[in-house]
Amino acid sequence: MKKSLWVAGSYLTQFGELWERSLPQLCKEAIDGAIQDAKVKPQDIEAVFVSNMLGGVLDNQLHMGALVSSLFPHNPPAMRLEGACASGGLALLAAEQSLLAGTYSTVLVVGAEKMTDASVHQITQLLSGAADIVQEYGSTFPGLYALITQEHMKSYKTTRDQLSSVSVKNHNHALTNPLAQFQKKLTIEMINNSPMIADPLRMLDCSPISDGAAAVVLTTKPQSKKTKIIGAGIGMDTFTLAQRKSLTTFEATKRAAAAAYKHAQIQPKDIDAAEVHDCFSIGEIIAIEDLGFFPPGDGGKATLNKKTTYGGDVVINPSGGLKAMGHPVGATGVKQLAYLSAHGSSQGWKYSLAQNIGGTGATAVIHILEHAQ
Amino acid sequence: MRYWRENKAWQELLGKTGVVVRTTSIKTAPSALQLYAPYSYAIVEIDGKQHECMSVSGELLEAGDHVQCVLRKTTATLPHEIIFYGIKIKKINKQSSPKKNKSI
């Protein structure tokens, strides 16, 4: 990074089925919380970057930038960014670029989604809009990730138990996160016997439908005892799976990670913890391979052998991840950064990483953080 | 209008045969497709190029199956609505597949 960027403050709402709270109310709670945590006044926020995917189609609520700006007393400049489930990562990148360019010195990024008012079938249909609606007609997100899972199982002999160990571990991590949608211990048997959604992915391989919001205040003004953003990168890949050279790796993650590691001038082995995009269990296995934590094909084995939890090589998804903390899609990328920045120092982590994916890996955004010691 | 634009591309695949590379059976689908579930969704190689297609209703495919592109209804509609059609794949006997695809 050419300039130092600090996470001055962060806030996460409860994730889950929040029937009593609307999309603007979730945004407001996250914004107020992050401003309070940053110890700044609302008027100190020079611009706002909003991440939301589904407000326009679920609630007919477009013009989210203006809506969020109106939650401030001074109506700061605000814009909405959308990149499917990577919307949060994109909003963070846009905010960071504005700081690095010197346009602003303190900005706020808020990600929010309100999903549980809709039926499962409606959400399934709307999320399939993150795939090519013509070339991939008839697909569902679990269906596309199921094809990826099958390829990984065939190429690397990844087993059913290895897939299940991702959800088991993430649910264990969420037991200590009161904001998580699920604080429920799972066993490999429970996951192996849960209903089939798209062969071989079962219900408990899949992240849930969630409501929630997250916000961070980013600044170029030096902060003491705060987390710094030391690396960031974005990578893209073909929109459809059929055009991919390989289904066992996400090229977008590799490209984004290469840029982020280069900015940060650190190696994968230096990372203590990571929030990765486990929208489906295979997503986490491929992520920890693509990010260089484990060799290709070893992600499942490493998870089953407890190398991705406390006491292992690297703590993956300490929040519970998308699977157990929840996946309000527009909030997820911001939540990853908010969670890591809030917990990094107290956990004794020096470096952490966030990986946010859009679609089936057509977009990937990586952030690397350095925590105050 | 979108439907009109898209159906002009049907002729590129209609009637062609290919081989299933990877497939999954979809049990939970969007409401417009739930009528057809379970159905297979597959990556299919046709004339050396990979495509993604859903199968005809109830057809459960496996990798290596030979399939043909057919025209079928693609979404549930109400009686007064336009019936939407599109390309789906249907399993065929292995003997009928080796014929080389011709342009139509």
Side-chain angles (χ1 to χ4, degrees):
Chain A
M1 291 282 182
K2 289 172 190 161
K3 279 185 195 174
S4 291
L5 301 181
W6 277 270
V7 183
S10 63
Y11 186 86
L12 291 166
T13 69
Q14 178 72 46
F15 279 19
E17 293 186 48
L18 310 175
W19 294 337
E20 75 288 0
R21 273 178 270 184
S22 68
L23 184 60
Q25 286 171 329
L26 286 166
C27 290
K28 174 89 174 124
E29 182 187 338
I31 290 167
D32 290 351
I35 286 173
Q36 196 179 351
D37 188 48
K39 297 184 175 57
V40 295
K41 296 192 290 290
Q43 290 85 346
D44 294 330
I45 303 299
E46 296 165 66
V48 186
F49 296 83
V50 183
S51 161
N52 174 259
M53 179 188 176
L54 298 170
V57 281
L58 268 179
D59 287 343
N60 197 29
Q61 183 59 72
L62 290 161
H63 211 178
M64 282 291 293
L67 186 152
V68 169
S69 178
S70 71
L71 300 174
F72 289 77
H74 60 307
N75 296 112
M79 64 183 79
R80 168 199 173 221
L81 290 102
E82 190 278 315
C85 306
S87 301
L90 295 183
L92 289 164
L93 281 181
E96 289 151 15
Q97 291 301 322
S98 77
L99 294 171
L100 292 170
T103 311
Y104 306 114
S105 55
T106 301
V107 299
L108 183 141
V109 184
V110 59
E113 209 73 68
K114 178 75 195 164
M115 302 172 77
T116 65
D117 287 351
S119 69
V120 173
H121 291 299
Q122 197 181 358
I123 291 293
T124 305
Q125 181 160 10
L126 294 174
L127 290 179
S128 67
D132 188 318
I133 59 164
V134 178
Q135 303 296 327
E136 295 182 306
Y137 183 81
S139 69
T140 61
F141 257 90
L144 294 171
Y145 272 88
L147 294 174
I148 292 167
T149 309
Q150 289 194 10
E151 194 67 22
H152 205 276
M153 291 174 111
K154 181 172 175 273
S155 300
Y156 297 120
K157 304 200 184 319
T158 302
T159 65
R160 178 64 255 174
D161 282 2
Q162 289 171 3
L163 288 170
S164 297
S165 66
V166 172
S167 298
V168 168
K169 183 260 302 170
N170 289 345
H171 273 255
N172 277 342
H173 287 176
L175 292 174
T176 57
N177 179 2
L179 300 175
Q181 183 162 357
F182 300 117
Q183 285 196 292
K184 180 180 168 65
K185 202 173 170 62
L186 296 182
T187 63
I188 283 182
E189 292 69 33
M190 288 162 81
I191 296 156
N192 291 358
N193 294 318
S194 63
M196 190 70 84
I197 302 295
D199 181 33
L201 291 178
R202 294 177 177 275
M203 191 180 76
L204 294 176
D205 285 305
C206 309
S207 56
I209 292 166
S210 316
D211 304 329
V216 290
V217 175
L218 306 181
T219 185
T220 51
K221 295 175 184 170
Q223 308 279 306
S224 81
K225 308 235 175 223
K226 296 280 187 178
T227 295
K228 274 170 85 171
I229 299 172
I230 59 168
I234 177 170
M236 310 297 285
D237 200 358
T238 65
F239 200 28
T240 65
L241 290 187
Q243 293 172 286
R244 299 265 166 93
K245 285 181 192 148
S246 168
L247 291 186
T248 59
T249 180
F250 285 173
E251 202 54 44
T253 297
K254 287 182 171 175
R255 289 174 186 158
Y261 284 132
K262 192 177 169 191
H263 281 155
Q265 296 184 318
I266 64 166
Q267 305 289 318
K269 64 177 170 49
D270 299 320
I271 301 290
D272 299 301
E275 286 286 318
V276 305
H277 204 93
D278 61 320
C279 50
F280 300 97
S281 47
I282 191 66
E284 178 168 318
I285 289 173
I286 290 179
I288 60 178
E289 295 170 1
D290 288 342
L291 292 167
F293 300 147
F294 300 97
D298 282 5
K301 231 179 296 173
T303 309
L304 187 63
N305 293 336
K306 302 191 188 308
K307 290 184 177 177
T308 59
T309 188
Y310 295 93
D313 295 356
V314 54
V315 185
I316 302 294
N317 282 325
S319 72
L322 282 61
K323 172 68 194 80
M325 182 163 177
H327 183 26
V329 290
T332 289
V334 185
K335 162 245 158 174
Q336 293 176 324
L337 206 82
Y339 186 89
L340 290 169
S341 62
H343 294 85
S345 296
S346 61
Q347 289 288 347
W349 302 327
K350 185 170 185 194
Y351 298 113
S352 67
L353 179 149
Q355 180 233 22
N356 188 202
I357 290 283
T360 47
T363 304
V365 180
I366 307 285
H367 281 90
I368 298 177
L369 308 178
E370 182 178 359
H371 303 284
Q373 299 297 298
Chain B
M1 291 304 286
R2 202 187 91 201
Y3 182 60
W4 172 75
R5 280 196 304 275
E6 285 166 15
N7 68 30
K8 289 192 290 188
W10 289 349
Q11 60 184 325
E12 290 168 21
L13 289 174
L14 194 58
K16 288 195 173 177
T17 57
V19 178
V20 173
V21 178
R22 215 39 87 228
T23 180
T24 182
S25 61
I26 291 183
K27 319 277 188 204
T28 303
S31 33
L33 295 172
Q34 191 59 38
L35 170 74
Y36 305 113
Y39 60 87
S40 292
Y41 186 79
I43 296 177
V44 187
E45 190 165 311
I46 300 168
D47 292 342
K49 199 176 160 196
Q50 292 197 341
H51 299 266
E52 291 173 50
C53 295
M54 67 183 287
S55 73
V56 298
S57 182
E59 185 108 277
L60 298 179
L61 300 169
E62 292 178 11
D65 280 348
H66 291 251
V67 291
Q68 184 169 35
C69 296
V70 294
L71 200 61
R72 289 287 187 276
K73 287 179 191 173
T74 54
T75 183
T77 50
L78 295 172
H80 63 277
E81 290 178 326
I82 293 171
I83 299 171
F84 287 89
Y85 287 86
I87 299 284
K88 291 186 181 179
I89 48 174
K90 184 178 165 51
K91 195 171 171 175
I92 54 173
N93 292 331
K94 218 172 176 182
Q95 298 90 294
S96 58
S97 64
K99 276 194 284 180
K100 207 174 172 193
N101 287 316
K102 289 180 194 165
S103 299
I104 54 171

